[in-house]
PDB file of all heavy atoms in Angstrom:
ATOM      1  N   ALA A 177     231.727 141.302  70.197  1.00 92.00           N
ATOM      2  CA  ALA A 177     232.374 140.306  69.339  1.00 92.00           C
ATOM      3  C   ALA A 177     233.830 140.153  69.771  1.00 92.00           C
ATOM      4  O   ALA A 177     234.508 141.157  70.036  1.00 92.00           O
ATOM      5  CB  ALA A 177     232.288 140.725  67.876  1.00 92.00           C
ATOM      6  N   HIS A 178     234.284 138.898  69.845  1.00 94.00           N
ATOM      7  CA  HIS A 178     235.651 138.602  70.263  1.00 94.00           C
ATOM      8  C   HIS A 178     236.262 137.576  69.316  1.00 94.00           C
ATOM      9  O   HIS A 178     235.598 136.609  68.946  1.00 94.00           O
ATOM     10  CB  HIS A 178     235.673 137.999  71.672  1.00 94.00           C
ATOM     11  CG  HIS A 178     234.902 138.773  72.678  1.00 94.00           C
ATOM     12  ND1 HIS A 178     235.394 139.895  73.281  1.00 94.00           N
ATOM     13  CD2 HIS A 178     233.653 138.589  73.176  1.00 94.00           C
ATOM     14  CE1 HIS A 178     234.498 140.375  74.118  1.00 94.00           C
ATOM     15  NE2 HIS A 178     233.420 139.603  74.065  1.00 94.00           N
ATOM     16  N   PRO A 179     237.530 137.745  68.952  1.00 96.00           N
ATOM     17  CA  PRO A 179     238.189 136.702  68.161  1.00 96.00           C
ATOM     18  C   PRO A 179     238.484 135.490  69.046  1.00 96.00           C
ATOM     19  O   PRO A 179     238.890 135.643  70.204  1.00 96.00           O
ATOM     20  CB  PRO A 179     239.479 137.369  67.681  1.00 96.00           C
ATOM     21  CG  PRO A 179     239.717 138.496  68.634  1.00 96.00           C
ATOM     22  CD  PRO A 179     238.389 138.897  69.191  1.00 96.00           C
ATOM     23  N   VAL A 180     238.219 134.304  68.513  1.00 96.00           N
ATOM     24  CA  VAL A 180     238.480 133.045  69.218  1.00 96.00           C
ATOM     25  C   VAL A 180     238.942 132.010  68.194  1.00 96.00           C
ATOM     26  O   VAL A 180     238.950 132.281  66.996  1.00 96.00           O
ATOM     27  CB  VAL A 180     237.219 132.520  69.962  1.00 96.00           C
ATOM     28  CG1 VAL A 180     236.809 133.452  71.085  1.00 96.00           C
ATOM     29  CG2 VAL A 180     236.067 132.303  69.003  1.00 96.00           C
ATOM     30  N   THR A 181     239.296 130.842  68.671  1.00 95.00           N
ATOM     31  CA  THR A 181     239.629 129.727  67.789  1.00 95.00           C
ATOM     32  C   THR A 181     238.641 128.593  68.067  1.00 95.00           C
ATOM     33  O   THR A 181     238.435 128.221  69.224  1.00 95.00           O
ATOM     34  CB  THR A 181     241.070 129.244  68.036  1.00 95.00           C
ATOM     35  OG1 THR A 181     241.955 130.337  67.790  1.00 95.00           O
ATOM     36  CG2 THR A 181     241.431 128.082  67.125  1.00 95.00           C
ATOM     37  N   VAL A 182     238.028 128.083  67.009  1.00 95.00           N
ATOM     38  CA  VAL A 182     237.097 126.959  67.114  1.00 95.00           C
ATOM     39  C   VAL A 182     237.501 125.940  66.053  1.00 95.00           C
ATOM     40  O   VAL A 182     237.679 126.304  64.887  1.00 95.00           O
ATOM     41  CB  VAL A 182     235.631 127.400  66.892  1.00 95.00           C
ATOM     42  CG1 VAL A 182     234.697 126.203  66.897  1.00 95.00           C
ATOM     43  CG2 VAL A 182     235.199 128.421  67.941  1.00 95.00           C
ATOM     44  N   ALA A 183     237.678 124.711  66.453  1.00 93.00           N
ATOM     45  CA  ALA A 183     238.077 123.635  65.545  1.00 93.00           C
ATOM     46  C   ALA A 183     239.353 124.003  64.786  1.00 93.00           C
ATOM     47  O   ALA A 183     239.501 123.702  63.608  1.00 93.00           O
ATOM     48  CB  ALA A 183     236.947 123.280  64.575  1.00 93.00           C
ATOM     49  N   GLY A 184     240.257 124.699  65.463  1.00 93.00           N
ATOM     50  CA  GLY A 184     241.534 125.078  64.861  1.00 93.00           C
ATOM     51  C   GLY A 184     241.441 126.210  63.861  1.00 93.00           C
ATOM     52  O   GLY A 184     242.407 126.492  63.154  1.00 93.00           O
ATOM     53  N   ARG A 185     240.298 126.891  63.814  1.00 94.00           N
ATOM     54  CA  ARG A 185     240.114 127.978  62.847  1.00 94.00           C
ATOM     55  C   ARG A 185     239.843 129.291  63.557  1.00 94.00           C
ATOM     56  O   ARG A 185     239.179 129.329  64.591  1.00 94.00           O
ATOM     57  CB  ARG A 185     238.946 127.647  61.918  1.00 94.00           C
ATOM     58  CG  ARG A 185     239.233 126.407  61.096  1.00 94.00           C
ATOM     59  CD  ARG A 185     237.995 125.871  60.457  1.00 94.00           C
ATOM     60  NE  ARG A 185     238.293 124.561  59.878  1.00 94.00           N
ATOM     61  CZ  ARG A 185     238.142 124.268  58.605  1.00 94.00           C
ATOM     62  NH1 ARG A 185     237.693 125.162  57.773  1.00 94.00           N
ATOM     63  NH2 ARG A 185     238.433 123.061  58.175  1.00 94.00           N
ATOM     64  N   ALA A 186     240.346 130.369  62.967  1.00 96.00           N
ATOM     65  CA  ALA A 186     240.066 131.695  63.504  1.00 96.00           C
ATOM     66  C   ALA A 186     238.569 131.955  63.360  1.00 96.00           C
ATOM     67  O   ALA A 186     238.015 131.858  62.266  1.00 96.00           O
ATOM     68  CB  ALA A 186     240.864 132.750  62.764  1.00 96.00           C
ATOM     69  N   ALA A 187     237.917 132.252  64.470  1.00 96.00           N
ATOM     70  CA  ALA A 187     236.466 132.415  64.495  1.00 96.00           C
ATOM     71  C   ALA A 187     236.114 133.690  65.258  1.00 96.00           C
ATOM     72  O   ALA A 187     236.996 134.364  65.800  1.00 96.00           O
ATOM     73  CB  ALA A 187     235.819 131.197  65.150  1.00 96.00           C
ATOM     74  N   ILE A 188     234.827 133.990  65.288  1.00 96.00           N
ATOM     75  CA  ILE A 188     234.317 135.130  66.055  1.00 96.00           C
ATOM     76  C   ILE A 188     233.285 134.605  67.046  1.00 96.00           C
ATOM     77  O   ILE A 188     232.409 133.813  66.680  1.00 96.00           O
ATOM     78  CB  ILE A 188     233.650 136.179  65.127  1.00 96.00           C
ATOM     79  CG1 ILE A 188     234.689 136.845  64.238  1.00 96.00           C
ATOM     80  CG2 ILE A 188     232.867 137.222  65.918  1.00 96.00           C
ATOM     81  CD1 ILE A 188     235.677 137.729  64.972  1.00 96.00           C
ATOM     82  N   GLU A 189     233.401 135.045  68.287  1.00 94.00           N
ATOM     83  CA  GLU A 189     232.385 134.771  69.303  1.00 94.00           C
ATOM     84  C   GLU A 189     231.569 136.046  69.458  1.00 94.00           C
ATOM     85  O   GLU A 189     232.121 137.118  69.693  1.00 94.00           O
ATOM     86  CB  GLU A 189     233.042 134.425  70.641  1.00 94.00           C
ATOM     87  CG  GLU A 189     232.035 134.279  71.767  1.00 94.00           C
ATOM     88  CD  GLU A 189     232.710 134.230  73.129  1.00 94.00           C
ATOM     89  OE1 GLU A 189     233.474 135.169  73.452  1.00 94.00           O
ATOM     90  OE2 GLU A 189     232.468 133.262  73.851  1.00 94.00           O
ATOM     91  N   LEU A 190     230.255 135.936  69.306  1.00 92.00           N
ATOM     92  CA  LEU A 190     229.363 137.076  69.469  1.00 92.00           C
ATOM     93  C   LEU A 190     228.479 136.830  70.681  1.00 92.00           C
ATOM     94  O   LEU A 190     227.771 135.817  70.748  1.00 92.00           O
ATOM     95  CB  LEU A 190     228.489 137.256  68.225  1.00 92.00           C
ATOM     96  CG  LEU A 190     227.458 138.381  68.307  1.00 92.00           C
ATOM     97  CD1 LEU A 190     228.156 139.736  68.333  1.00 92.00           C
ATOM     98  CD2 LEU A 190     226.489 138.298  67.153  1.00 92.00           C
ATOM     99  N   VAL A 191     228.538 137.736  71.647  1.00 91.00           N
ATOM    100  CA  VAL A 191     227.688 137.644  72.835  1.00 91.00           C
ATOM    101  C   VAL A 191     226.607 138.718  72.698  1.00 91.00           C
ATOM    102  O   VAL A 191     226.910 139.902  72.550  1.00 91.00           O
ATOM    103  CB  VAL A 191     228.502 137.856  74.127  1.00 91.00           C
ATOM    104  CG1 VAL A 191     227.587 137.840  75.345  1.00 91.00           C
ATOM    105  CG2 VAL A 191     229.588 136.800  74.247  1.00 91.00           C
ATOM    106  N   GLN A 192     225.361 138.255  72.686  1.00 90.00           N
ATOM    107  CA  GLN A 192     224.204 139.160  72.635  1.00 90.00           C
ATOM    108  C   GLN A 192     223.647 139.290  74.040  1.00 90.00           C
ATOM    109  O   GLN A 192     223.196 138.317  74.623  1.00 90.00           O
ATOM    110  CB  GLN A 192     223.135 138.595  71.696  1.00 90.00           C
ATOM    111  CG  GLN A 192     221.819 139.360  71.710  1.00 90.00           C
ATOM    112  CD  GLN A 192     221.950 140.764  71.170  1.00 90.00           C
ATOM    113  OE1 GLN A 192     222.347 140.957  70.032  1.00 90.00           O
ATOM    114  NE2 GLN A 192     221.642 141.742  71.993  1.00 90.00           N
ATOM    115  N   ARG A 193     223.732 140.495  74.588  1.00 91.00           N
ATOM    116  CA  ARG A 193     223.202 140.731  75.930  1.00 91.00           C
ATOM    117  C   ARG A 193     221.682 140.957  75.872  1.00 91.00           C
ATOM    118  O   ARG A 193     221.164 141.402  74.851  1.00 91.00           O
ATOM    119  CB  ARG A 193     223.880 141.951  76.549  1.00 91.00           C
ATOM    120  CG  ARG A 193     225.360 141.727  76.839  1.00 91.00           C
ATOM    121  CD  ARG A 193     225.971 142.912  77.565  1.00 91.00           C
ATOM    122  NE  ARG A 193     225.786 144.191  76.903  1.00 91.00           N
ATOM    123  CZ  ARG A 193     226.571 144.661  75.940  1.00 91.00           C
ATOM    124  NH1 ARG A 193     227.596 143.977  75.531  1.00 91.00           N
ATOM    125  NH2 ARG A 193     226.336 145.841  75.399  1.00 91.00           N
ATOM    126  N   PRO A 194     220.987 140.662  76.961  1.00 91.00           N
ATOM    127  CA  PRO A 194     219.552 140.971  77.008  1.00 91.00           C
ATOM    128  C   PRO A 194     219.349 142.466  76.768  1.00 91.00           C
ATOM    129  O   PRO A 194     220.159 143.294  77.213  1.00 91.00           O
ATOM    130  CB  PRO A 194     219.134 140.601  78.432  1.00 91.00           C
ATOM    131  CG  PRO A 194     220.170 139.623  78.886  1.00 91.00           C
ATOM    132  CD  PRO A 194     221.444 140.052  78.214  1.00 91.00           C
ATOM    133  N   ILE A 195     218.292 142.797  76.049  1.00 90.00           N
ATOM    134  CA  ILE A 195     218.041 144.202  75.737  1.00 90.00           C
ATOM    135  C   ILE A 195     216.575 144.404  75.388  1.00 90.00           C
ATOM    136  O   ILE A 195     215.924 143.508  74.864  1.00 90.00           O
ATOM    137  CB  ILE A 195     218.952 144.684  74.578  1.00 90.00           C
ATOM    138  CG1 ILE A 195     218.792 146.186  74.365  1.00 90.00           C
ATOM    139  CG2 ILE A 195     218.676 143.914  73.302  1.00 90.00           C
ATOM    140  CD1 ILE A 195     219.822 146.805  73.451  1.00 90.00           C
ATOM    141  N   ARG A 196     216.100 145.562  75.707  1.00 91.00           N
ATOM    142  CA  ARG A 196     214.786 146.029  75.246  1.00 91.00           C
ATOM    143  C   ARG A 196     215.059 147.257  74.391  1.00 91.00           C
ATOM    144  O   ARG A 196     215.750 148.162  74.816  1.00 91.00           O
ATOM    145  CB  ARG A 196     213.903 146.410  76.430  1.00 91.00           C
ATOM    146  CG  ARG A 196     213.540 145.255  77.300  1.00 91.00           C
ATOM    147  CD  ARG A 196     212.637 145.692  78.464  1.00 91.00           C
ATOM    148  NE  ARG A 196     212.475 144.596  79.402  1.00 91.00           N
ATOM    149  CZ  ARG A 196     211.592 143.624  79.257  1.00 91.00           C
ATOM    150  NH1 ARG A 196     210.797 143.621  78.222  1.00 91.00           N
ATOM    151  NH2 ARG A 196     211.512 142.643  80.138  1.00 91.00           N
ATOM    152  N   TRP A 197     214.546 147.254  73.186  1.00 86.00           N
ATOM    153  CA  TRP A 197     214.699 148.397  72.292  1.00 86.00           C
ATOM    154  C   TRP A 197     213.369 148.597  71.588  1.00 86.00           C
ATOM    155  O   TRP A 197     212.477 147.746  71.705  1.00 86.00           O
ATOM    156  CB  TRP A 197     215.897 148.205  71.358  1.00 86.00           C
ATOM    157  CG  TRP A 197     215.727 147.312  70.168  1.00 86.00           C
ATOM    158  CD1 TRP A 197     215.566 147.694  68.877  1.00 86.00           C
ATOM    159  CD2 TRP A 197     215.715 145.885  70.148  1.00 86.00           C
ATOM    160  NE1 TRP A 197     215.451 146.599  68.059  1.00 86.00           N
ATOM    161  CE2 TRP A 197     215.529 145.473  68.817  1.00 86.00           C
ATOM    162  CE3 TRP A 197     215.819 144.902  71.121  1.00 86.00           C
ATOM    163  CZ2 TRP A 197     215.455 144.137  68.438  1.00 86.00           C
ATOM    164  CZ3 TRP A 197     215.734 143.561  70.751  1.00 86.00           C
ATOM    165  CH2 TRP A 197     215.572 143.202  69.432  1.00 86.00           C
ATOM    166  N   PRO A 198     213.169 149.705  70.896  1.00 88.00           N
ATOM    167  CA  PRO A 198     211.846 150.005  70.335  1.00 88.00           C
ATOM    168  C   PRO A 198     211.253 148.897  69.460  1.00 88.00           C
ATOM    169  O   PRO A 198     210.042 148.776  69.365  1.00 88.00           O
ATOM    170  CB  PRO A 198     212.084 151.269  69.511  1.00 88.00           C
ATOM    171  CG  PRO A 198     213.247 151.921  70.167  1.00 88.00           C
ATOM    172  CD  PRO A 198     214.110 150.796  70.666  1.00 88.00           C
ATOM    173  N   ASN A 199     212.077 148.060  68.858  1.00 84.00           N
ATOM    174  CA  ASN A 199     211.563 147.031  67.953  1.00 84.00           C
ATOM    175  C   ASN A 199     211.477 145.645  68.575  1.00 84.00           C
ATOM    176  O   ASN A 199     211.168 144.688  67.876  1.00 84.00           O
ATOM    177  CB  ASN A 199     212.430 146.960  66.696  1.00 84.00           C
ATOM    178  CG  ASN A 199     212.347 148.242  65.892  1.00 84.00           C
ATOM    179  OD1 ASN A 199     211.308 148.882  65.859  1.00 84.00           O
ATOM    180  ND2 ASN A 199     213.435 148.622  65.278  1.00 84.00           N
ATOM    181  N   GLY A 200     211.789 145.505  69.855  1.00 86.00           N
ATOM    182  CA  GLY A 200     211.698 144.168  70.430  1.00 86.00           C
ATOM    183  C   GLY A 200     212.390 144.005  71.766  1.00 86.00           C
ATOM    184  O   GLY A 200     212.881 144.959  72.350  1.00 86.00           O
ATOM    185  N   VAL A 201     212.440 142.751  72.192  1.00 89.00           N
ATOM    186  CA  VAL A 201     213.034 142.392  73.477  1.00 89.00           C
ATOM    187  C   VAL A 201     213.824 141.100  73.295  1.00 89.00           C
ATOM    188  O   VAL A 201     213.377 140.176  72.627  1.00 89.00           O
ATOM    189  CB  VAL A 201     211.942 142.154  74.547  1.00 89.00           C
ATOM    190  CG1 VAL A 201     212.547 141.654  75.850  1.00 89.00           C
ATOM    191  CG2 VAL A 201     211.131 143.413  74.777  1.00 89.00           C
ATOM    192  N   ILE A 202     215.006 141.053  73.876  1.00 87.00           N
ATOM    193  CA  ILE A 202     215.753 139.807  74.012  1.00 87.00           C
ATOM    194  C   ILE A 202     215.920 139.613  75.510  1.00 87.00           C
ATOM    195  O   ILE A 202     216.570 140.416  76.176  1.00 87.00           O
ATOM    196  CB  ILE A 202     217.119 139.871  73.295  1.00 87.00           C
ATOM    197  CG1 ILE A 202     216.905 140.036  71.794  1.00 87.00           C
ATOM    198  CG2 ILE A 202     217.944 138.620  73.600  1.00 87.00           C
ATOM    199  CD1 ILE A 202     218.176 140.217  71.000  1.00 87.00           C
ATOM    200  N   ASP A 203     215.268 138.568  76.039  1.00 89.00           N
ATOM    201  CA  ASP A 203     215.241 138.349  77.489  1.00 89.00           C
ATOM    202  C   ASP A 203     216.469 137.627  78.027  1.00 89.00           C
ATOM    203  O   ASP A 203     216.778 137.737  79.199  1.00 89.00           O
ATOM    204  CB  ASP A 203     213.996 137.550  77.886  1.00 89.00           C
ATOM    205  CG  ASP A 203     212.726 138.372  77.749  1.00 89.00           C
ATOM    206  OD1 ASP A 203     212.778 139.604  77.956  1.00 89.00           O
ATOM    207  OD2 ASP A 203     211.676 137.786  77.422  1.00 89.00           O
ATOM    208  N   PHE A 204     217.135 136.833  77.177  1.00 88.00           N
ATOM    209  CA  PHE A 204     218.226 136.003  77.652  1.00 88.00           C
ATOM    210  C   PHE A 204     219.481 136.259  76.824  1.00 88.00           C
ATOM    211  O   PHE A 204     219.400 136.485  75.620  1.00 88.00           O
ATOM    212  CB  PHE A 204     217.866 134.515  77.532  1.00 88.00           C
ATOM    213  CG  PHE A 204     216.638 134.152  78.303  1.00 88.00           C
ATOM    214  CD1 PHE A 204     215.406 134.077  77.683  1.00 88.00           C
ATOM    215  CD2 PHE A 204     216.719 133.904  79.663  1.00 88.00           C
ATOM    216  CE1 PHE A 204     214.274 133.747  78.391  1.00 88.00           C
ATOM    217  CE2 PHE A 204     215.594 133.572  80.387  1.00 88.00           C
ATOM    218  CZ  PHE A 204     214.357 133.499  79.754  1.00 88.00           C
ATOM    219  N   PRO A 205     220.661 136.213  77.442  1.00 91.00           N
ATOM    220  CA  PRO A 205     221.883 136.340  76.659  1.00 91.00           C
ATOM    221  C   PRO A 205     222.050 135.147  75.723  1.00 91.00           C
ATOM    222  O   PRO A 205     221.562 134.058  76.001  1.00 91.00           O
ATOM    223  CB  PRO A 205     222.997 136.386  77.701  1.00 91.00           C
ATOM    224  CG  PRO A 205     222.416 135.817  78.939  1.00 91.00           C
ATOM    225  CD  PRO A 205     220.927 135.991  78.861  1.00 91.00           C
ATOM    226  N   ALA A 206     222.723 135.394  74.615  1.00 91.00           N
ATOM    227  CA  ALA A 206     222.993 134.337  73.635  1.00 91.00           C
ATOM    228  C   ALA A 206     224.459 134.417  73.234  1.00 91.00           C
ATOM    229  O   ALA A 206     225.054 135.492  73.236  1.00 91.00           O
ATOM    230  CB  ALA A 206     222.102 134.498  72.409  1.00 91.00           C
ATOM    231  N   THR A 207     225.023 133.275  72.885  1.00 92.00           N
ATOM    232  CA  THR A 207     226.400 133.211  72.410  1.00 92.00           C
ATOM    233  C   THR A 207     226.392 132.531  71.049  1.00 92.00           C
ATOM    234  O   THR A 207     225.803 131.462  70.897  1.00 92.00           O
ATOM    235  CB  THR A 207     227.294 132.421  73.381  1.00 92.00           C
ATOM    236  OG1 THR A 207     227.159 132.973  74.690  1.00 92.00           O
ATOM    237  CG2 THR A 207     228.757 132.496  72.964  1.00 92.00           C
ATOM    238  N   THR A 208     227.029 133.166  70.073  1.00 93.00           N
ATOM    239  CA  THR A 208     227.073 132.629  68.711  1.00 93.00           C
ATOM    240  C   THR A 208     228.511 132.641  68.225  1.00 93.00           C
ATOM    241  O   THR A 208     229.252 133.594  68.481  1.00 93.00           O
ATOM    242  CB  THR A 208     226.198 133.479  67.767  1.00 93.00           C
ATOM    243  OG1 THR A 208     224.863 133.486  68.270  1.00 93.00           O
ATOM    244  CG2 THR A 208     226.214 132.942  66.349  1.00 93.00           C
ATOM    245  N   TYR A 209     228.896 131.586  67.526  1.00 95.00           N
ATOM    246  CA  TYR A 209     230.235 131.484  66.945  1.00 95.00           C
ATOM    247  C   TYR A 209     230.117 131.418  65.434  1.00 95.00           C
ATOM    248  O   TYR A 209     229.283 130.695  64.898  1.00 95.00           O
ATOM    249  CB  TYR A 209     230.953 130.232  67.463  1.00 95.00           C
ATOM    250  CG  TYR A 209     231.262 130.324  68.932  1.00 95.00           C
ATOM    251  CD1 TYR A 209     230.323 129.967  69.881  1.00 95.00           C
ATOM    252  CD2 TYR A 209     232.485 130.807  69.367  1.00 95.00           C
ATOM    253  CE1 TYR A 209     230.586 130.079  71.230  1.00 95.00           C
ATOM    254  CE2 TYR A 209     232.761 130.920  70.713  1.00 95.00           C
ATOM    255  CZ  TYR A 209     231.806 130.561  71.642  1.00 95.00           C
ATOM    256  OH  TYR A 209     232.071 130.682  72.981  1.00 95.00           O
ATOM    257  N   PHE A 210     230.960 132.200  64.755  1.00 95.00           N
ATOM    258  CA  PHE A 210     231.064 132.203  63.300  1.00 95.00           C
ATOM    259  C   PHE A 210     232.381 131.512  62.952  1.00 95.00           C
ATOM    260  O   PHE A 210     233.451 132.009  63.316  1.00 95.00           O
ATOM    261  CB  PHE A 210     231.069 133.634  62.763  1.00 95.00           C
ATOM    262  CG  PHE A 210     229.786 134.384  63.025  1.00 95.00           C
ATOM    263  CD1 PHE A 210     229.524 134.947  64.261  1.00 95.00           C
ATOM    264  CD2 PHE A 210     228.836 134.519  62.027  1.00 95.00           C
ATOM    265  CE1 PHE A 210     228.346 135.636  64.505  1.00 95.00           C
ATOM    266  CE2 PHE A 210     227.653 135.205  62.259  1.00 95.00           C
ATOM    267  CZ  PHE A 210     227.407 135.759  63.497  1.00 95.00           C
ATOM    268  N   VAL A 211     232.292 130.366  62.269  1.00 96.00           N
ATOM    269  CA  VAL A 211     233.476 129.557  61.984  1.00 96.00           C
ATOM    270  C   VAL A 211     233.565 129.342  60.468  1.00 96.00           C
ATOM    271  O   VAL A 211     232.675 128.743  59.873  1.00 96.00           O
ATOM    272  CB  VAL A 211     233.402 128.186  62.695  1.00 96.00           C
ATOM    273  CG1 VAL A 211     234.682 127.394  62.470  1.00 96.00           C
ATOM    274  CG2 VAL A 211     233.119 128.364  64.190  1.00 96.00           C
ATOM    275  N   PRO A 212     234.650 129.824  59.831  1.00 95.00           N
ATOM    276  CA  PRO A 212     234.769 129.659  58.378  1.00 95.00           C
ATOM    277  C   PRO A 212     235.119 128.228  57.992  1.00 95.00           C
ATOM    278  O   PRO A 212     235.855 127.544  58.692  1.00 95.00           O
ATOM    279  CB  PRO A 212     235.912 130.607  58.020  1.00 95.00           C
ATOM    280  CG  PRO A 212     236.751 130.681  59.248  1.00 95.00           C
ATOM    281  CD  PRO A 212     235.796 130.527  60.402  1.00 95.00           C
ATOM    282  N   ASP A 213     234.546 127.803  56.868  1.00 93.00           N
ATOM    283  CA  ASP A 213     234.863 126.497  56.298  1.00 93.00           C
ATOM    284  C   ASP A 213     234.800 126.640  54.775  1.00 93.00           C
ATOM    285  O   ASP A 213     233.794 126.285  54.155  1.00 93.00           O
ATOM    286  CB  ASP A 213     233.888 125.429  56.794  1.00 93.00           C
ATOM    287  CG  ASP A 213     234.222 124.044  56.242  1.00 93.00           C
ATOM    288  OD1 ASP A 213     235.412 123.773  55.999  1.00 93.00           O
ATOM    289  OD2 ASP A 213     233.291 123.247  56.056  1.00 93.00           O
TER     290      ASP A 213
END
């Protein structure tokens, strides 16, 4: 998680790396932004 600015607001960028763990698999990286409104 990294602090960023989106639409002029303090936001969080979350990068999910590919992973295999006992409960599942994520094959591709994902990027998600949390922007307060």
Side-chain angles (χ1 to χ4, degrees):
H178 310 280
V180 294
T181 300
V182 176
R185 297 165 190 239
I188 292 292
E189 174 192 55
L190 177 68
V191 177
Q192 172 66 59
R193 293 185 306 275
I195 186 169
R196 294 181 189 277
W197 79 104
N199 295 326
V201 175
I202 296 176
D203 289 328
F204 301 97
T207 307
T208 302
Y209 293 85
F210 296 80
V211 184
D213 182 31

